[in-house]
Amino acid sequence: MDHLMATDQGPVVQSALLRSELVHLRKEKGLTQEHVAKNLEWSPSKLIRVEGGRSSITKVDLDALLARYGVTSESHRDKLHALNKGARERAWWDDFRGDINSTYLNYVGYEAGATFIRQFQATSIPGLLQTPEYAEALTLGTADPALVAPVVRLRMTRQAKLAQRSAPPRQYYVVDEAAIRRHVGIDKDPAIMANQLRHVADRAESEELLTVRVIPFKAGAHRGVLGPFSLLEFEGGLPDLLYIDAGRGTVVLLSGDDPLVAEYADDFEALLERALSAGESIDLIRSAAEERF
């Protein structure tokens, strides 16, 4: 049960880990939700809400469930209670509610606790690699001016919080050459894009857990032309997550039970086949940076 140790993964992932384990324990005993609810004198909807993540669970109710499931190991119980405590903590991204799409903030909650982040971007540098200046210039061209500051602040906070984790996630990015050729920020400062590209190259060279691959124009058409997407993986048996940004506020978040998740995972592998190696990609990014002047 070591994988259930409460960590700095954030409340969304800790809640998901707790719920996953509670469902596993119930099914391991061959019990239905109705049977457990009746035994504990709960309404069936109470357990349904708890297992579905629509309701938090008190310490007393968690103890009651664990007793019903025959969990006697103190270490196991302590780990589940630690997860529950973490799940009830306030999330840092709650500060952005009202300004940022709620589905996207839910994605940020899962991203905060992911162990592996894979992403494809067709026309822009991935958000977790952006400099503040690039993020501001990019957002100015695509969002309401009033939202520029919170969007940029959220992006920078995501980067900082992931870097602060005791076990930062592995990050693997594939970008189309268009993302490194589009001169974002040229109207404000021609150096913004060059600095952004050098920032990506420097990080890719120095960070062991970060890989950036570029699909060159000469590779022709590829599956990524259908749009950007992100895949998240987790420890503890949680299913993978797929995030699709269809633009103009339309976002989709799907769990590993949806066949589209596996389909996009296959697409990512196909994109890797079209991409330059990590070393060649860094060379191309640095070359593009120098061409700005």
Side-chain angles (χ1 to χ4, degrees), residues 18-28 51 69:
L18 175 64
R19 289 184 278 112
S20 174
E21 179 64 9
L22 290 177
V23 172
H24 170 75
L25 289 169
R26 176 175 60 77
K27 291 183 175 180
E28 197 174 45
E51 290 188 355
Y69 299 152

Side-chain angles (χ1 to χ4, degrees), residues 21 24 50 80 112 118 152 164 166 177 196 210 234 255 261 266 287:
E21 179 64 9
H24 170 75
V50 166
L80 290 170
R118 287 176 290 170
V152 173
Q164 291 166 7
S166 57
E177 187 172 350
Q196 171 65 78
L210 173 65
F234 309 89
S255 76
V261 178
D266 285 342
S287 173

Side-chain angles (χ1 to χ4, degrees), residues 49-289:
R49 288 197 305 272
V50 166
E51 290 188 355
R54 294 188 297 277
S55 178
S56 59
I57 183 169
T58 65
K59 184 178 186 298
V60 171
D61 285 346
L62 180 55
D63 276 329
L65 280 176
L66 297 183
R68 182 64 189 87
Y69 299 152
V71 179
T72 57
S73 164
E74 280 301 315
S75 63
H76 191 179
R77 294 171 68 92
D78 287 348
K79 288 172 184 176
L80 290 170
H81 274 292
L83 281 176
N84 191 35
K85 181 180 178 182
R88 296 164 69 89
E89 290 178 353
R90 187 176 183 278
W92 62 260
W93 50 89
D94 285 342
D95 292 342
F96 296 87
R97 295 197 184 279
D99 291 324
I100 307 296
N101 179 291
S102 60
T103 302
Y104 183 70
L105 286 181
N106 195 29
Y107 165 78
V108 169
Y110 280 105
E111 178 191 79
T115 56
F116 190 16
I117 301 170
R118 287 176 290 170
Q119 185 180 105
F120 169 75
Q121 283 290 346
T123 58
S124 62
I125 301 299
L128 290 175
L129 301 180
Q130 291 177 11
T131 63
E133 296 78 13
Y134 176 94
E136 181 180 356
L138 183 69
T139 308
L140 275 170
T142 59
D144 185 321
L147 293 178
V148 172
V151 166
V152 173
R153 192 168 70 252
L154 173 61
R155 210 161 290 170
M156 296 305 111
T157 306
R158 286 164 57 209
Q159 294 182 22
K161 294 294 184 180
L162 287 181
Q164 291 166 7
R165 278 178 52 188
S166 57
R170 174 95 169 84
Q171 298 180 56
Y172 206 126
Y173 299 103
V174 176
V175 298
D176 190 276
E177 187 172 350
I180 67 172
R181 296 293 182 187
R182 183 166 300 281
H183 203 157
V184 173
I186 190 171
D187 295 338
K188 182 178 180 181
D189 181 357
I192 289 175
M193 191 65 193
N195 290 337
Q196 171 65 78
L197 294 176
R198 294 189 191 103
H199 176 75
V200 172
D202 289 346
R203 286 193 58 185
E205 279 188 331
S206 63
E207 297 181 25
E208 185 179 353
L209 294 176
L210 173 65
T211 303
V212 180
R213 304 267 301 274
V214 178
I215 300 179
F217 287 143
K218 64 183 181 183
H222 53 75
R223 296 191 193 182
V225 298
L226 299 177
F229 62 92
S230 302
L231 290 158
L232 303 180
E233 292 182 20
F234 309 89
E235 289 181 345
L238 293 184
D240 293 356
L241 216 64
L242 167 67
Y243 171 76
I244 306 171
D245 184 351
R248 299 188 182 276
T250 304
V251 294
V252 180
L253 193 61
L254 300 171
S255 76
D257 299 330
D258 192 295
L260 269 181
V261 178
E263 185 177 316
Y264 273 80
D266 285 342
D267 285 350
F268 193 84
E269 294 303 312
L271 290 170
L272 290 178
E273 293 177 4
R274 295 295 190 105
L276 299 172
S277 69
E280 291 170 330
S281 296
I282 290 172
D283 289 343
L284 181 60
I285 292 170
R286 289 202 184 281
S287 173

